[in-house]
Amino acid sequence: MWQNILEFLQSTGFAAFGNSSMMVFGVIPGELIMIVVACVLLYLGIAKKFEPLLLVPIAFGMLLVNLPLGGVMAAPLGDTPGGLVYYLYQGVKLGIYPPLIFMGVGAMTDFGPLIANPRSLLLGAAAQIGIFITFLGATALGFDLKSAASIGIIGGADGPTAIFVTSKLNRDLLPAIAIAAYSYMALVPIIQPPIMKLLTTKKERMVVMDQLRDVSKTEKILFPIVVTIACGLLLPSAVPLLGALMLGNLFRETGVTARLSDTSQNALMNILTIFLGVSVGATAAAERFLQIETLKIIALGLVAFAIGTASGVLFGKIMYRTSGGKVNPLIGSAGVSAVPMAARVSQVVGQKENPGNYLLMHAMGPNVAGVIGSAIAAGVMLSFLG
Amino acid sequence: MWQNILEFLQSTGFAAFGNSSMMVFGVIPGELIMIVVACVLLYLGIAKKFEPLLLVPIAFGMLLVNLPLGGVMAAPLGDTPGGLVYYLYQGVKLGIYPPLIFMGVGAMTDFGPLIANPRSLLLGAAAQIGIFITFLGATALGFDLKSAASIGIIGGADGPTAIFVTSKLNRDLLPAIAIAAYSYMALVPIIQPPIMKLLTTKKERMVVMDQLRDVSKTEKILFPIVVTIACGLLLPSAVPLLGALMLGNLFRETGVTARLSDTSQNALMNILTIFLGVSVGATAAAERFLQIETLKIIALGLVAFAIGTASGVLFGKIMYRTSGGKVNPLIGSAGVSAVPMAARVSQVVGQKENPGNYLLMHAMGPNVAGVIGSAIAAGVMLSFLG
Amino acid sequence: MWQNILEFLQSTGFAAFGNSSMMVFGVIPGELIMIVVACVLLYLGIAKKFEPLLLVPIAFGMLLVNLPLGGVMAAPLGDTPGGLVYYLYQGVKLGIYPPLIFMGVGAMTDFGPLIANPRSLLLGAAAQIGIFITFLGATALGFDLKSAASIGIIGGADGPTAIFVTSKLNRDLLPAIAIAAYSYMALVPIIQPPIMKLLTTKKERMVVMDQLRDVSKTEKILFPIVVTIACGLLLPSAVPLLGALMLGNLFRETGVTARLSDTSQNALMNILTIFLGVSVGATAAAERFLQIETLKIIALGLVAFAIGTASGVLFGKIMYRTSGGKVNPLIGSAGVSAVPMAARVSQVVGQKENPGNYLLMHAMGPNVAGVIGSAIAAGVMLSFLG
Amino acid sequence: MDVWTITIVGVGTVFLALVGLSLMLGMFKRLFHGRKDSAPSAATAEAPRPAPARAADGTLVAVISAAIAAATGGQPGSFRVVSVQASGGFSTPVWGHIDRLTRTGSGR
Amino acid sequence: MDVWTITIVGVGTVFLALVGLSLMLGMFKRLFHGRKDSAPSAATAEAPRPAPARAADGTLVAVISAAIAAATGGQPGSFRVVSVQASGGFSTPVWGHIDRLTRTGSGR
Amino acid sequence: MDVWTITIVGVGTVFLALVGLSLMLGMFKRLFHGRKDSAPSAATAEAPRPAPARAADGTLVAVISAAIAAATGGQPGSFRVVSVQASGGFSTPVWGHIDRLTRTGSGR
Ligand code: NA
Ligand code: NA
Ligand code: NA
């Protein structure tokens, strides 16, 4: 009996720490470090409100998978079923959750400001340059093409897009890229303003833009259909993400599918967000996450955001010139997406120079265009490398 | 590099149109025609409000699958996962979605008017004759037995039943049968009235029926249990559909399972409706859908509806005679199901002859009986041919 | 043709009764008896309100699977898909539903009273002694270790925990254990009071406890994280249940994940409750359920509840002594969990002796501690026998 | 399989089933109509009701015993379960696991 | 695959797609702006409206006929479907399957 | 496996775990009780609050750097990340991806 008790003690997680495959300084098990990292992420998500709806599940998944012998990610073995998160993870691995979450995003998004001002699309395109420059930079730093593409997409500022691309190109990077993407999306009000001020003159920032025209219901209904067909024909690999986004938006706009729109953006989206977050977090096993690459990814993600912001603002300056001073270049930074945070940043920065200036709706155009833009950029990456 | 760019252009959907397996007149790719058909269905669903909750997802699925190279229905290949809709489609293929949707329908249905007037069940039976006559006609037109049975079930006027039967008997016909079923359900107010007027006299149409008795809670609770046991023993192959319908109805009536009833008819039903619609639509690949059979199915579906309506009305006339003029034969047409549209049609046609006549609740009896009736007819078909 | 009709009649469930593998008294098919048992369970669930949210789906699943030839639990065979409930059942078999339901339970549970009075945890531990004594008793009665462990867990008074353990150790016992667990949870107000009165003096029952301190939001947020890490390291096999419970509770307490908390405890929980209930019920095939073991399990389940109650109360008496009469031993019985019924029982029994005494919140501490306690007991069983 | 067989058996089965149900529902009327509803309405679920579980405490064991006794060829008495005594006076209704959680302060 | 190719084609495609969309949206303005909305608002869905389905009854058959006729090389007329006559006077809108159930007394 | 071992270890583990938790919760009281709640209540989430993210901007990078530096045997400084400067003056709270969408006019 005492031997049995001893064996039982051997089976605790404390004992398992001793057999950890990754001993830091020869003493600290990697899993313990990961538990601390998970707690920090929980702190950022809960106390600092960094995208809590994603960071809390991601951090908790990270916590669960690093409790030694917990087996939540264990693959099935013969007749023994796998762990809970192993099964939830299949929806990430097979590329099911991100498009369905995008459907919910579509059901939440009003493309009206974009339809009212189609030139916004150019700003949404410009801000994706950060994706490709970061892709270049990452290859220069030694990442292979697939990893570099996954890293670049962080600059698209869309969690589901980044996770979808990474799940297709290099699943090992999932936790680092998801954490970087969601953290920087939360940090947009910190990252963007200095860049915006550096690149614009006071005069430019004070531009008051004309009011947007009304958009008819017909246009709003046609928009998702036209985008799906046009972009789907141009770039077939963007169909899963863009098609789902536009289907959700169609549910929203028809006026006769309110039930479907409601469920897409509530019950279904919340269920998938929990499953996605926990299972992405659970890919962060110590020996995979505690790599120098993780830091590089986090640094490159910041670069991607900064370059995206800058190229959006610079393109805004071009439009300021070509329009004869009618476009406020501050709305360019909203092109990175991070809806609607980036648009609010444009609003706040603009209002500081000119308290009566309301740029929010003008910035929503590039903002939602950035969602389409990064989905297309994702399609390009998948088309070349998928 | 230029060669790479050329290759990339080759990978667009526009280029793929050139390699379409189905060239109409040698010039127009079949996929392009299907995109147009999908847009027409979207128009019918959205602007004309033809069962939009189903037609919009079906049409969008059709659109997505016909964007060349989009791969939303691609099967997994080795380590490469399949397309999004491929996975959603498994719930259709395995017969999971239709019964679960039927559970939601059960949670939405009040069988009270049927319990109050059990003779309604005869009208619900009579209206299913359209299913079997159409089955005969379809075999005469050269369809094999399985296809003919799937086509006949369109006359049951129940989308989930039609999709369930077709998914078991001949999946190639899924999109045509689903579109026909939902379109004619939407067109019930157009299809039925001329038939109803043709077959009845003014005197018959003016009959005012006695008020229905109250139905106790106990009866409403016992009803789904009794139906499940009785019909399940008589016709085991009807158990998945009827059992699910009755389980949903039991959730509704117990008074202590309101949570389950609510979720069955809302969150769960909406999620499954989206998945079902999109994946049924995505079975409409051009070379499968652009066949003369599709038109025959659509025509036969109309025949099934018309005969079902006629036999319901004719049986109503018999009951009018045998009851000594107490039954208004107009309620017979409601037996096709298409709840509650067909019952409203009875009400409207009756009210035109006799403005003070309220047939709605009397017609709800045959109407919900028609749901049971077509589930039983489906069971027969599956029992012989499944 | 007549032969075909005859064959069709042979395929009805009535005919199949004749070929039943289990003929009672050589005449009554076992399936028929099971249908009657299912109806009794429906009666208990609906009219007597025994945990109707679980018993109604369980009983209906039992009904469906015992309709001969209905095939709802049929495994897939070659190209023929399996039955509906076969697929729903996979979530039980693979251990997916119970932890996710526990997530919803966590989102519904307020651990505040436990945090305010940490000694409650001892009572939550003491009440689990019923699990282990029943385990001993079951082995003495001839059950093998795995079955005995599954039976003991009934005393944990947590449906999802009992189902999770049984699904891992001996799936054949699922229906009997699930029915016993949920029935006794419903019968807590009948089972506990006599035991509580027998073991306590009037003076003990009249003790008025000090008011609980306020618990800060920070403590409530830290609690699930700390429990997950501490218990997860001590007992890795408890991670799926405890981790999910605590994740749900974290969603509840953060203040920034209300969407996820809401969906966990409503849409997702309801969907899983239906799927779990129906598929657990559908494991009750006649030849498996109509065994003397089933009665033994039901009797042993009652023993487990009674011993758990008694040991909770006895430990309460110890705390009454050691605290110098400040702890009312009646709150000990709440340690079996069955939240919040057992806590209400403590309240009602206490109030009968001393009408101004409000024990409810004091009893909620042991009550929720009992949930953690039985999850840990489950972990021990799985660690030794899983 | 002959198309006419399917048609005739099909129409026959549909009528047989629904006529059968119709007859059963006819009995419902005789059995339940006029009787007062035994199940209390959901609206009053929150209000105290006298021990709804009391009458049913032994039902489950009794019925399953009888069923199993029959199935296994023994007599109901051969495996004796002492009946659970109702404690009386409970005004707490027996909620479902989920409902119970929801209705305390712990549910949001 | 060259990293520069991907970058150039990538940036190019993003701009091409979004500029293309921008041009299309420019046409939207010309086509739809100022026009009154053809689709009635959801708020009035409950109110009686004159036969919305009437105009569309033949559309489905006509379009699918034409499509299939083209696809199979025949003429639209070769498989004739007699047009469904609108009955007129219906003030009931055409609800979706689910909506229909919800809006009767049967939905809770 | 012996049934008594399981029983003894089982009861022992349950008590060990819950007594351990009990001790930890005892520390909670000392650490947090009386202190004001640091996390603002959800009810005020909509109201402007001073830059909640400012203090945390470098936390993530700092912690993960330290962790990885330790894990890979290097020093934290060996891979230098220039700290992100807070811009100051933001009254916009940092919403979640979903919440953000919901709270603009774009959510229904
Ligand atoms: Na973007
Ligand atoms: Na029908
Ligand atoms: Na317990």
Side-chain angles (χ1 to χ4, degrees), chain E residues 30-49:
Chain E
R30 265 186 251 159
L31 291 171
F32 303 102
H33 196 46
R35 246 185 59 171
K36 283 209 83 169
D37 268 359
S38 57
S41 80
T44 62
E46 210 68 39
R49 273 171 294 111

Side-chain angles (χ1 to χ4, degrees), chain A residues 123-139:
Chain A
L123 297 169
Q128 312 314 318
I129 290 175
I131 293 176
F132 292 99
I133 293 186
T134 308
F135 167 67
L136 280 178
T139 54

Side-chain angles (χ1 to χ4, degrees), chain A residues 267-290:
Chain A
L268 180 58
M269 186 148 180
N270 295 342
I271 292 171
L272 296 176
T273 298
I274 295 171
F275 291 1
L276 177 90
V278 171
S279 51
V280 163
T283 57
E287 67 271 22
R288 199 190 276 180
F289 189 82
L290 292 177

Side-chain angles (χ1 to χ4, degrees), chain B residues 200-286:
Chain B
T200 52
T201 65
K202 189 175 174 67
K203 193 182 156 203
E204 286 167 344
R205 291 199 293 275
M206 288 185 71
V207 169
V208 177
M209 292 179 71
D210 294 342
Q211 218 191 319
L212 291 173
R213 72 172 176 94
D214 281 346
V215 171
S216 71
K217 200 167 149 54
T218 311
E219 289 171 280
K220 286 192 175 184
I221 293 173
L222 282 176
F223 180 77
I225 302 171
V226 166
V227 171
T228 305
I229 297 175
C231 296
L233 287 179
L234 179 68
L235 195 64
S237 48
V239 166
L241 282 176
L242 264 187
L245 182 74
M246 292 300 148
L247 177 58
N249 189 247
L250 188 61
F251 288 156
R252 170 195 177 86
E253 300 297 352
T254 64
V256 288
T257 48
R259 282 176 68 109
L260 306 182
S261 169
D262 173 52
T263 295
S264 299
Q265 66 188 276
N266 291 304
L268 180 57
M269 185 147 180
N270 295 342
I271 292 171
L272 296 176
T273 299
I274 296 172
F275 290 1
L276 177 90
V278 170
S279 50
V280 163
T283 57

